[in-house]
Amino acid sequence: MRKQNKLLIEQLDRKLNPFIETKNIQVPERGWIHSIRTTLNMTLQQLGNRLKITSQGVKDIEERESSGSISIKSLREVGKALDMQFVYGFVPNQNSFEEFVGSKAREIAKKIVLRTSHNMKLENQGNSEERINQAIDELANEIKREMRKSLWD
């Protein structure tokens, strides 16, 4: 990975590291807004007053959140009305962006090396499994180092 790309990935990992554990949080079935509002024993009307909308408007917001069609702007407004901060972000399924990029690079390298290996076997020039794995590792490191755009095809 080029120094600049490596630095950018390390910085992104540091920024998002506090969020890693959030990927294990289960979103309430009816959404966070409904869950927080009812836990606080707040009525639709009371939250509506804080948002300067009707209770039906609050119900619509809760339904949009539950269905996944709510806007970030609306979530921020509700957070402000509840005297809370709305936070959002993306967290890699792996433990870091470094692992994410490495995994994608290895996936591409494996396809390339195995395709080449298959062609060599057809020509009776096959390699050992150890040599194939070594070639996959070397190519994956090269792809990762170069941060090829083909990682995302």
Side-chain angles (χ1 to χ4, degrees):
M1 196 175 307
R2 288 188 208 130
K3 245 183 182 171
Q4 184 181 6
N5 287 340
K6 185 171 177 40
L7 181 62
L8 290 172
I9 285 175
E10 287 171 359
Q11 288 173 343
L12 188 57
D13 275 336
R14 275 194 304 276
K15 285 180 184 176
L16 295 178
N17 191 44
F19 292 98
I20 289 293
E21 293 303 315
T22 62
K23 67 183 173 185
N24 299 321
I25 294 173
Q26 295 287 332
V27 176
E29 187 176 323
R30 294 182 69 184
W32 288 111
I33 298 169
H34 179 269
S35 181
I36 291 168
R37 181 182 60 74
T38 56
T39 298
L40 296 174
N41 201 25
M42 185 184 289
T43 66
L44 289 167
Q45 184 64 51
Q46 288 170 319
L47 182 53
N49 291 343
R50 290 169 169 251
L51 288 166
K52 297 181 177 60
I53 61 174
T54 65
S55 56
Q56 182 59 48
V58 174
K59 188 173 180 185
D60 290 344
I61 286 173
E62 289 182 349
E63 288 172 0
R64 286 199 321 272
E65 181 199 5
S66 180
S67 71
S69 62
I70 193 166
S71 70
I72 291 172
K73 180 182 176 189
S74 292
L75 290 169
R76 281 190 181 125
E77 289 170 355
V78 172
K80 187 176 178 181
L82 291 169
D83 196 25
M84 296 182 177
Q85 184 176 351
F86 171 69
V87 180
Y88 74 95
F90 295 97
V91 180
N93 288 325
Q94 291 82 358
N95 292 323
S96 69
F97 277 91
E98 177 88 31
E99 283 183 35
F100 174 59
V101 171
S103 170
K104 293 302 248 178
R106 185 160 179 74
E107 188 180 300
I108 290 169
K110 188 174 182 178
K111 285 180 186 176
I112 293 168
V113 170
L114 291 180
R115 184 173 52 234
T116 304
S117 176
H118 177 71
N119 290 340
M120 290 178 75
K121 276 183 186 175
L122 292 175
E123 298 169 4
N124 290 326
Q125 299 175 12
N127 282 314
S128 69
E129 191 170 326
E130 181 182 330
R131 177 62 192 121
I132 290 171
N133 285 330
Q134 182 182 0
I136 291 170
D137 289 341
E138 289 171 3
L139 183 55
N141 286 332
E142 180 184 326
I143 292 168
K144 188 174 153 182
R145 187 174 46 255
E146 294 174 0
M147 191 62 101
R148 295 180 181 175
K149 290 188 183 340
S150 63
L151 276 169
W152 318 116
D153 289 338

